Amino acid sequence: MSEVTKEVLLEVRDLKKYFPIRRGLFRRQVGAIKAVDGVSFDIYQGETLGLVGESGGGKSTTGWTVIRDLEPTAGSVRFQGQDLSILAHDEMRRMRRHIQMIFQDPYASLNPRMTVGTIVSEPLEVHKIGTPNQRRARVQELLEIVGLNPGFINRYPHEFSGGQRQRIGIARALATNPTFVVADEPISALDVSIQAQVVNLLWDLKNEFGLTYLFIAHDLSMVRYISDRVAVMYLGRVVEMGPTEDVYSRSLHPYTQALVSAIPVADPEAEMTRQPIILEGDVPNPANPPHGCHFHPRCIYATEICRQDDPEFRNLGQTTEHWVACHHAEQNQGHTFGN
Amino acid sequence: MRPTDSQAAKGSTAASGGPDIGQPADDWLVVGRSPVRRAAARFFRDPLAVTGLTIMALIILITLFAPQIYSWDEIINVSNATKLLSPSAAHPFGTDNLGRDQLGRVLWGGRESLRAGYLVVLIGLGGGTILGLISGFAGGWVDNLIQRFVDVLLAIPGILLALSVVGALGPGLVQVMLAVGLANIPDYTRLIRGSVLEAKENEYVRAARVLGASNRRIMFRHILPNVIGPILVYATLGLGIAIMITAGLSYLGLGAQPPSPEWGAMLNQGRQFMRHAWWMPVFPGLAIVIAVLSINLIGDGLQDAINPKLRK
């Protein structure tokens, strides 16, 4: 994998995002959906952190809260040592040229009434970078970088395919030369045949421009391919985090084990013997998460302590940092998967 | 392994002509067809809409040249000798009870009525757009304040509001335009607020915010262009109604005052002589009908052009 210098670019500490549930005549708050419930992680300069988990696990909310498109309920996000959550509105706006985002839906995330040129140059215009002529040249350069014909500058988004539109979105995200890019399920809306192209493009761009990614996805094989480290989220919490290979081949958390066991294997013989762990039930209601370990109602190893106490997020790695939030992580180390 | 050359132009073969794979040659002039242009193309394929537009253009043209055909004096000066003449070559629409040429008055009246209609719509659209944008975008107490203000305006029937404005400021076309325009603001505000609420949830609005765009930029560059289409349709249809209402108020004697040749006022005057001189009410009435009809045809055409999925 790529070189990762151990310099922390983004430091997320105990991040929480609750959405209030209001009822009745006076819109009284009767509860809260704990979409993100105490998430902590670091992202090092130049690495890709994959964030995986089921739908409704709080992955995207984490991404949005990290870049402060949603205001965090609690916790801090430090970017290059600067706490983003206390920045004033205008300061945050200026900060955004360093932090960009790639969106999930390439059809909805491009304004249908703007030309490709206007869309890609908007970040430059907003941050007052360059003269109109320089911006135009930059847009053409960007289109070329993402593999589009620079002559498409006057076209409209509806004239492009999904993969091409996602490239336009990527060009827009790169316009201001950001250091950090949040990719919010950038490939899940694309055809499988296009997904690899876009992931490869993201990979190339990262190496070329020294980008740092927070890569949110639910496709585990793609995440394994692009990420240096992986964090697994369940019900608003990170349950396991570590180097990609450790998390995939030596999963410590039963939830991760279930996810990994669900990945189809390309080798037909191995696929025959693959025994996916089928999780029972659904993700519990995040407004009313289970007591103790959030995962215990669906966990095959759950014991009394899981019903009682919140597991601590511990580092169990020997040579690398491999964090897990499970009471029985030590016993579960035997369950490895060979894929 | 960047798949550069797989990115051929898709779905735009007409513009690019052949596969423009790889090297961008000299197709800098390739200009995409904007949503506006596509809507325009649909509009001009609709025969009814084109008919409406043609009639409206003719009406505007004729009323523009009315002063060249009839002088103001000609249509104002009273003459006993030409009183209540039926239509003839000299007076194609006949003359009124004061001996004035009716054709000249209808043409001049068009200037008054159309201008009144446009101004009414402009006031409603302008005020409603600004209030609706702010209301929908800001949300919270700002939204609440504006919506309660709109509620108050809506609670008063439009015609009553117009009557009270005229009552306060005295009768006259300008007062009526102001009154009807004001009465229109709530409708536009509601309409635009609704569209803004929907549009601001679009992912591209989030994208603009994330890349650092200011609220004003988001409102005017991202939201407004995406909500204005249906609003323009409504405004076009509203133009017909505005012309009718101003004519109606003039008919009641609140709007244009004699000797001004406003259509509604002429209709009112003609009503008294209907049994002896049918041409007096018929021609201004016809003018109103034709103008409103053509506007409605344009509005329907716009509706279909902007929203082709809704077409029956």
Side-chain angles (χ1 to χ4, degrees):
Chain A
M1 295 253 142
S2 66
E3 263 178 65
V4 176
T5 52
K6 279 285 184 181
E7 193 181 325
V8 175
L9 179 74
L10 189 88
E11 182 188 295
V12 178
R13 284 293 170 273
D14 208 25
L15 190 69
K16 290 181 182 166
K17 179 65 194 176
Y18 294 174
F19 295 102
I21 307 169
R22 295 181 191 281
R23 286 226 184 87
L25 184 60
F26 299 104
R27 315 277 302 141
R28 206 160 41 86
Q29 186 174 339
V30 294
I33 296 191
K34 299 175 176 176
V36 179
D37 194 13
V39 164
S40 303
F41 56 83
D42 290 336
I43 301 181
Y44 299 107
Q45 181 80 46
E47 80 164 346
T48 299
L49 177 69
L51 193 57
V52 297
E54 268 167 296
S55 303
K59 307 182 300 281
S60 289
T61 310
T62 305
W64 295 335
T65 315
V66 162
I67 60 167
R68 227 181 125 193
D69 187 43
L70 294 173
E71 292 293 332
T73 309
S76 72
V77 177
R78 286 180 174 276
F79 175 75
Q80 293 175 330
Q82 168 76 58
D83 191 346
L84 296 183
S85 47
I86 58 165
L87 283 182
H89 186 73
D90 272 347
E91 292 172 320
M92 187 62 216
R93 241 165 35 79
R94 279 195 292 277
M95 190 58 108
R96 293 196 184 283
R97 64 180 287 186
H98 306 295
I99 305 170
Q100 291 286 330
M101 190 163 191
I102 298 166
F103 292 86
Q104 172 171 13
D105 184 348
Y107 290 89
S109 59
L110 306 178
N111 188 337
R113 297 196 176 263
M114 288 187 169
T115 61
V116 172
T118 326
I119 291 171
V120 177
S121 68
E122 189 168 29
L124 301 171
E125 227 174 286
V126 162
H127 295 287
K128 302 188 177 64
I129 300 171
T131 63
N133 273 334
Q134 287 169 332
R135 282 180 209 148
R136 195 184 160 82
R138 172 78 176 139
V139 170
Q140 286 161 3
E141 183 193 340
L142 283 162
L143 289 181
E144 213 151 0
I145 288 172
V146 299
L148 288 173
N149 183 337
F152 292 167
I153 195 162
N154 290 323
R155 298 271 185 90
Y156 285 85
H158 68 85
E159 299 174 83
F160 294 91
S161 67
Q164 287 174 315
R165 282 162 153 259
Q166 196 57 295
R167 285 165 193 270
I168 297 169
I170 294 172
R172 170 174 63 187
L174 293 182
T176 55
N177 265 325
T179 16
F180 177 55
V181 175
V182 175
D184 182 19
E185 310 220 17
I187 51 167
S188 51
L190 303 176
D191 286 349
V192 179
S193 55
I194 309 293
Q195 287 185 353
Q197 289 182 8
V198 171
V199 165
N200 282 332
L201 173 65
L202 289 172
W203 174 252
D204 290 348
L205 293 173
K206 179 193 148 177
N207 292 333
E208 204 170 330
F209 300 108
L211 298 173
T212 304
Y213 288 136
L214 175 61
F215 190 90
I216 301 168
H218 52 242
D219 182 334
L220 289 152
S221 25
M222 282 298 178
V223 170
R224 179 179 206 169
Y225 178 63
I226 195 168
S227 306
D228 301 300
R229 289 190 307 135
V230 175
V232 182
M233 269 190 93
Y234 183 76
L235 214 63
R237 293 182 177 174
V238 174
V239 295
E240 181 163 3
M241 179 167 69
T244 308
E245 276 319 302
D246 288 3
V247 171
Y248 275 72
S249 20
R250 288 180 293 282
S251 318
L252 294 178
H253 198 280
Y255 180 62
T256 316
Q257 291 170 0
L259 287 183
V260 171
S261 77
I263 305 174
V265 187
D267 176 0
E269 269 177 47
E271 177 68 17
M272 292 279 280
T273 56
R274 181 172 68 96
Q275 288 207 319
I277 301 168
I278 309 292
L279 288 181
E280 304 273 319
D282 289 321
V283 180
N285 181 0
N288 184 21
H291 198 67
C293 173
H294 283 2
F295 187 61
H296 84 257
R298 303 171 74 185
C299 180
I300 45 174
Y301 309 114
T303 58
E304 195 48 36
I305 187 172
C306 305
R307 281 179 273 275
Q308 298 295 332
D309 295 332
D310 245 352
E312 202 186 326
F313 198 44
R314 303 172 289 157
N315 180 10
L316 286 188
Q318 270 101 46
T319 50
T320 53
E321 289 201 6
H322 191 163
W323 294 75
V324 65
C326 175
H327 291 297
H328 305 303
E330 287 87 349
Q331 292 93 300
N332 290 344
Q333 290 203 28
H335 297 266
T336 55
F337 299 89
N339 53 330
Chain B
M1 64 169 293
R2 203 178 299 143
T4 315
D5 42 7
S6 68
Q7 295 305 313
K10 222 183 144 187
S12 54
T13 41
S16 58
D20 43 1
I21 295 169
Q23 288 315 302
D26 49 359
D27 53 355
W28 293 106
L29 292 174
V30 170
V31 175
R33 301 224 307 146
S34 76
V36 174
R37 288 224 240 145
R38 288 190 298 157
R42 276 194 295 269
F43 182 85
F44 285 108
R45 276 200 300 270
D46 181 351
L48 278 178
V50 173
T51 311
L53 192 67
T54 315
I55 297 174
M56 196 70 237
L58 275 176
I59 293 175
I60 291 174
L61 210 68
I62 294 171
T63 52
L64 273 182
F65 284 107
Q68 265 72 51
I69 311 169
Y70 292 92
S71 70
W72 179 249
D73 287 345
E74 258 179 287
I75 63 152
I76 293 302
N77 286 346
V78 178
S79 151
N80 242 332
T82 52
K83 208 159 77 171
L84 290 177
L85 295 176
S86 58
S88 65
H91 303 288
F93 285 5
T95 58
D96 68 5
N97 59 315
L98 298 173
R100 298 173 294 196
D101 183 82
Q102 280 263 94
L103 177 58
R105 284 180 69 75
V106 167
L107 295 187
W108 273 88
R111 294 166 74 87
E112 304 271 303
S113 289
L114 290 183
R115 195 179 55 201
Y118 286 123
L119 272 169
V120 163
V121 170
L122 226 63
I123 294 172
L125 186 66
T129 303
I130 291 171
L131 285 180
L133 259 181
I134 295 174
S135 184
F137 189 75
W141 65 269
V142 179
D143 183 29
N144 241 318
L145 191 77
I146 293 176
Q147 288 314 305
R148 295 300 79 79
F149 167 71
V150 165
D151 281 344
V152 170
L153 278 183
L154 273 178
I156 309 167
I159 199 92
L160 212 65
L161 185 72
L163 283 175
S164 42
V165 170
V166 172
L169 301 176
L173 199 55
V174 178
Q175 287 90 317
V176 163
M177 280 169 358
L178 216 78
V180 181
L182 274 177
N184 262 334
I185 288 181
D187 284 349
Y188 288 100
T189 308
R190 277 282 158 89
L191 204 66
I192 290 177
R193 174 178 175 267
S195 314
V196 169
L197 284 181
E198 197 187 316
K200 80 169 178 182
E201 295 306 320
N202 274 317
E203 195 81 344
Y204 56 78
V205 172
R206 177 185 286 260
R209 205 166 49 223
V210 165
L211 63 81
S214 62
N215 283 340
R216 203 172 54 189
R217 187 185 177 89
I218 292 173
M219 272 202 286
F220 289 102
R221 294 290 302 271
H222 292 275
I223 294 180
L224 190 58
N226 283 289
V227 301
I228 201 68
I231 311 295
L232 284 183
V233 172
Y234 186 79
T236 313
L237 295 172
L239 177 60
I241 297 167
I243 290 177
M244 291 221 293
I245 289 181
T246 36
L249 286 169
S250 295
Y251 180 86
L252 295 176
L254 301 170
Q257 296 301 305
S260 169
E262 205 272 341
W263 288 343
M266 288 175 70
L267 199 61
N268 181 30
Q269 205 181 17
R271 179 184 52 93
Q272 303 162 40
F273 299 92
M274 198 155 54
R275 298 205 345 233
H276 315 289
W278 56 267
W279 55 89
M280 270 192 71
V282 161
F283 288 109
L286 263 180
I288 296 175
V289 169
I290 291 171
V292 173
L293 183 72
S294 70
I295 290 166
N296 283 347
L297 288 178
I298 296 173
D300 286 344
L302 273 181
Q303 173 92 63
D304 289 346
I306 287 173
N307 223 334
K309 283 173 217 151
L310 287 182
R311 197 183 245 157
K312 292 136 276 184

